[in-house]
Every structure is written in structure tokens, then in C-alpha cells.
């Protein structure tokens, strides 16, 4: 198949493009390179020995997007493109609503005009807000606590309404838990902009000597060691889940929502110790105050993904840390 991957030079997008090429699909990446480098395309080619098409394009530019759909025939779309920093979204909500919503509306308009009916959308467990129950299943109450999460929830609502009005469409919405790690080659991985907000890119920068110590945001949560518990999933497992979601989208119409997680929760300190094993060093940390907006515990019910997609995460936390450490040592500043 010929798959259009928006945001395909990003962290999860690039890993998904590798899996698509390795299963024999043709891929066109569109990306505005706001949060990634075109070098990622070379890295993808180095891994897979085949090169995806790449078009530097901002999805908010509907004319350019329409022109691309005019000259190409896509069988399906995987939509990763979007701003995704929680903290930045609180400071700059207008930028987040404009970019994430308009880009998606433009994409859906072009898909409808050109009868491209299959879409896999990159959503987030953040739509569950303060979890109604743990493990979190897809029927849990939805509520968001920051503009980034709200854009994801709004897009899920837009997709639901568009699917209702266009019975030929098939949408699969994937709610990611905490993607971490990197491809085993060490050639692609996460390149955070500025000071990493997320846990493992920050730990990696402590391990490579770029940060003095890990700031642990609170150890007074109702968890085994008091620090936050999350469902960390290897980015390659996540990428493979997208291929299963595409297969699923091809067998049906309408919209469906599926969690992609491991179903296991690890605390901040457990992750830190797993990373110490991977890098062979003791890593300094300081316990600080809770980070506003954080929840104590989050991990997925994986039942639906197993039943509906036939997908289950394969890699454990140690492998996630080993693969991240390899990428960090080969690319201490990420891919720029
Ligand atoms: C994990 C745990 C922190 C950094 C966010 C987004 C979510 C998704 C994944 C996009 C928490 C603790 C973190 C640090 C720390 N992003 N921590 N020191 O907050 O679960 O989810 O990223 O889709 O939408 O909300 O991930 O990695 O920021 O935090 O102690 O320097 O690590 O308190 O318990 P989070 P995270």
C-alpha cells in the first residue's frame, strides 16, 4: 500500500515509517520540520535500505496539501503531525489549537475530496485525565487538564462526527501511554527541543553528562515508592501497533478507539534504576515538589488491543533503557 505519514520525521512517526517500509509499503512523509530534522529520512534509509518520499509541507497550508493529494494516490493516512509539549501548550494555547486542529481539518478535507478513507490517528492517554479506574480501558471517562490534551480530545470528537456523516470512512484512534526507547540500530530516537519535559530523555541527558541530576517531581504519591507510576511502552512496539491498526482499518468502516500500552506500571525510581543498569552508572537525583497537573498512576488495559488488533507489546523496561542508551550515546544532542 501507499501510506501518507504526517509528522513522519518525528519520534514515533519515524519508527512507524521504518516498520512500514520493512513490510513492503510505499511511504510518503509530510512534515514541516518544526520539531524534527530532515536527516531522519537518511537515517530511515540507512536502516531499511529503501527511501520514503519526503515533502516539506505544513498541513495548515491547505492549498499545498490539496496539490499533493492531486498528484498522489494514497491508500491510507497515519496522522502524527502536531505540537505535543504539555507545558508549552499551557503557555501558548492559541498556537496549539490553531496548529493541531486546522492541520487535522485540512487533512480530513483533502481525504474526503480524494476518497482516501482510511486513517490511523495519534491520540494520547492524556485524554483520560485523572483516571476513573486503573488499568485504564477505552470506556473510561474522558477529561483533559491541558490544551495539548484538549486538542487530542477535540480531534477525537471531530473524527467521530466525520465518521458518522461519512459511512465510507474507517478511523482508528490510538491512545498512546508513555512511548520511550529507540530503534535497536541507534540511528533514530527522540530529539527533545530544549530542556526535556519527559522523564527518559532527561535521564539520558543526566547519563551523558548534559544535566547534573534528575529532578524527581514528588515522592508523596500513593504508589509503592511514592513516585509517579506510568505505562512505558517501547517506541518500536508502538510503531508495530500502527501497522496492526492499519490492517484493522482495512477490514471495517466507522471509528474505533484503542489503547497502546504494556499494561504494566513503573515508577520514576524504577525507571531510573533500569536506566542505571543500562548505562552502567549511578545517576544522581533530587526529590522535589510535585509537578502541577501530574497524576499518581497511569497504566493501560491492553485487552482491546490484544483482541481487536492481535497486538501485544513485546519489549520490557530493560530493553527500552538499553535501546535508549545506545541512541543517546550515538546521538547525545539527538538528530539535528
Ligand atoms: C512521567 C513521570 C513525572 C520528568 C506526558 C504527556 C503525555 C505524553 C507523554 C504526548 C511523571 C515524572 C518526569 C522529570 C520526573 N505526551 N518526571 N522528572 O507526564 O506521564 O505524560 O508525556 O503524548 O500526553 O502528558 O510523562 O515523562 O513527563 O512524566 O519526575 O524530569 O515522570 O512526574 O510521574 P507524562 P513524563
Amino acid at each position: 500500500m501507499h501510506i501518507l505519514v504526517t509528522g513522519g520525521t518525528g519520534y514515533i512517526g519515524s519508527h512507524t515509517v521504518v516498520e512500514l517500509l520493512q513490510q513492503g509499503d510505499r511511504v510518503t512523509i509530510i512534515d514541516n520540520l518544526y520539531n524534527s530534522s530532515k536527516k531522519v529520512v537518511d537515517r530511515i534509509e540507512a536502516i531499511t535500505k529503501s527511501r520514503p518520499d519526503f515533502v516539506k509541507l505544513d498541513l495548515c497550508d491547505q492549498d499545498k496539501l490539496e496539490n499533493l493529494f492531486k498528484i498522489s494516490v494514497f491508500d491510507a493516512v497515519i496522522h502524527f503531525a502536531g505540537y505535543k509539549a504539555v507545558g508549552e501548550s499551557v503557555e501558548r494555547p492559541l498556537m496549539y489549537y490553531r496548529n493541531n486542529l486546522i492541520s487535522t481539518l485540512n487533512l480530513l478535507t483533502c481525504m474526503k475530496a480524494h476518497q482516501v478513507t482510511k486513517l490511523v490517528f495519534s491520540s494520547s492517554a492524556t485524554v483520560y485525565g485523572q483516571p476513573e479506574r486503573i488499568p485504564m480501558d477505552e470506556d473510561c471517562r474522558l477529561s483533559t487538564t491541558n490544551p495539548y490534551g484538549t486538542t487530542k480530545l477535540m480531534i477525537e470528537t471531530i473524527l467521530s462526527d466525520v465518521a458518522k456523516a461519512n459511512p465510507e470512512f474507517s478511523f482508528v484512534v490510538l491512545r498512546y501511554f508513555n512511548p520511550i526507547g529507540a530503534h535497536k540500530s541507534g540511528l533514530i530516537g527522540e530529539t527533545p527541543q530544549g530542556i526535556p519535559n519527559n522523564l527518559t530523555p532527561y535521564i539520558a541527558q543526566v547519563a551523558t553528562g548534559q544535566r547534573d541530576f534528575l529532578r524527581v517531581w514528588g515522592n508523596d504519591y500513593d504508589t509503592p515508592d511514592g513516585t509517579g507510576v506510568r505505562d512505558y511502552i517501547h517506541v518500536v512496539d508502538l510503531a508495530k501497533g500502527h501497522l496492526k491498526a492499519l490492517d484493522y482499518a482495512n477490514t471495517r468502516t466507522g471509528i474505533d478507539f484503542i489503547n497502546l500500552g504494556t499494561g504494566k506500571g513503573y515508577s520514576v525510581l524504577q525507571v531510573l534504576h533500569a536506566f542505571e543498569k543500562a548505562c552502567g552508572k549511578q545517576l544522581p537525583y533530587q526529590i522535589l515538589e510535585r509537578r502541577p497537573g501530574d497524576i499518581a498512576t497511569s497504566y493501560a488495559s491492553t485487552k482491546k488491543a490484544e483482541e481487536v488488533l492481535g497486538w501485544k507489546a513485546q519489549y520490557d523496561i530493560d530493553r527500552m533503557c538499553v535501546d535508549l542508551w545506545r541512541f543517546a550515546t550515538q546521538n547525545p544532542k539527538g538528530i539535528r
Side-chain angles (χ1 to χ4, degrees):
M1 293 197 296
H2 184 190
I3 314 297
L4 173 65
V5 179
T6 76
T9 53
Y11 175 42
I12 301 164
S14 56
H15 285 82
T16 304
V17 169
V18 163
E19 299 301 324
L20 287 168
L21 291 172
Q22 287 182 332
Q23 82 167 5
D25 287 316
R26 182 183 161 202
V27 174
T28 294
I29 293 173
I30 51 178
D31 205 301
N32 65 4
L33 302 177
Y34 170 82
N35 199 18
S36 58
S37 161
K38 196 183 167 200
K39 279 188 195 149
V40 170
V41 180
D42 304 328
R43 300 288 184 93
I44 291 170
E45 184 177 18
I47 294 168
T48 64
K49 311 300 177 230
S50 55
R51 191 174 181 85
D53 294 331
F54 174 78
V55 179
K56 186 175 185 298
L57 188 155
D58 190 323
L59 283 171
C60 289
D61 184 336
Q62 180 151 9
D63 292 344
K64 276 204 185 139
L65 185 61
E66 170 60 21
N67 289 339
L68 178 67
F69 270 81
K70 273 201 188 105
I71 60 170
S72 320
V73 177
F74 300 121
D75 298 301
V77 180
I78 306 182
H79 181 31
F80 293 102
Y83 297 155
K84 59 139 192 135
V86 171
E88 185 183 50
S89 79
V90 173
E91 289 155 25
R92 306 178 69 183
L94 204 49
M95 181 178 102
Y96 269 68
Y97 286 116
R98 267 187 64 80
N99 182 70
N100 291 6
L101 297 181
I102 290 178
S103 57
T104 302
L105 293 171
N106 288 348
L107 178 65
L108 290 169
T109 303
C110 289
M111 286 177 67
K112 181 168 171 56
H114 295 271
Q115 293 84 42
V116 180
T117 59
K118 312 271 189 289
L119 172 78
V120 173
F121 174 62
S122 163
S123 189
S124 167
T126 205
V127 300
Y128 295 119
Q130 183 65 38
E132 182 181 7
R133 53 183 172 268
I134 301 277
M136 292 127 88
D137 60 67
E138 289 82 355
D139 299 321
C140 272
R141 180 187 58 233
L142 303 178
S143 72
T144 51
T145 58
N146 60 76
Y148 158 74
T150 305
T151 67
K152 290 297 184 184
L153 189 50
M154 285 177 161
I155 293 169
E156 289 196 5
T157 306
I158 291 166
L159 292 174
S160 299
D161 290 343
V162 170
K164 263 189 223 118
N166 300 274
E168 73 280 12
F169 273 143
S170 175
F171 297 153
V172 178
V173 174
L174 299 178
R175 291 171 179 162
Y176 308 156
F177 280 70
N178 289 61
I180 69 168
H183 189 267
K184 64 185 177 190
S185 64
L187 290 172
I188 53 175
E190 188 173 8
T191 297
Q193 307 290 325
I195 300 173
N197 297 303
N198 295 140
L199 178 65
T200 54
Y202 199 101
I203 291 177
Q205 291 190 3
V206 173
T208 54
Q210 299 173 77
R211 306 280 168 198
D212 296 334
F213 58 88
L214 172 68
R215 303 161 303 175
V216 176
W217 301 129
N219 70 342
D220 58 350
Y221 287 103
D222 182 14
T223 62
D225 64 16
T227 64
V229 169
R230 296 289 184 275
D231 183 335
Y232 297 97
I233 173 171
H234 197 296
V235 64
V236 172
D237 271 328
L238 195 67
K240 292 177 190 283
H242 286 72
L243 274 56
K244 292 285 190 182
L246 269 184
D247 293 343
Y248 178 55
N250 282 324
T251 65
R252 63 194 303 279
T253 57
I255 189 166
D256 208 353
F257 304 84
I258 302 171
N259 289 340
L260 291 189
T262 65
K264 292 188 201 70
Y266 287 93
S267 74
V268 174
L269 293 180
Q270 285 175 315
V271 174
L272 181 68
H273 296 324
F275 202 88
E276 287 179 327
K277 258 195 312 186
C279 70
K281 311 177 193 182
Q282 198 156 14
L283 300 176
Y285 67 92
Q286 281 186 20
I287 304 289
L288 301 173
E289 290 303 303
R290 293 183 178 191
R291 180 172 66 176
D294 269 356
I295 57 178
T297 299
S298 159
Y299 56 86
S301 161
T302 59
K303 192 163 170 293
K304 186 170 181 182
E306 288 169 35
E307 283 172 5
V308 157
L309 299 184
W311 171 91
K312 187 170 169 55
Q314 302 300 309
Y315 297 126
D316 64 12
I317 194 72
D318 291 328
R319 172 68 189 269
M320 295 178 214
C321 291
V322 163
D323 287 346
L324 173 54
W325 177 234
R326 184 183 304 107
F327 175 75
T329 49
Q330 291 176 10
N331 310 272
K333 299 283 183 205
I335 306 172
R336 297 188 186 283

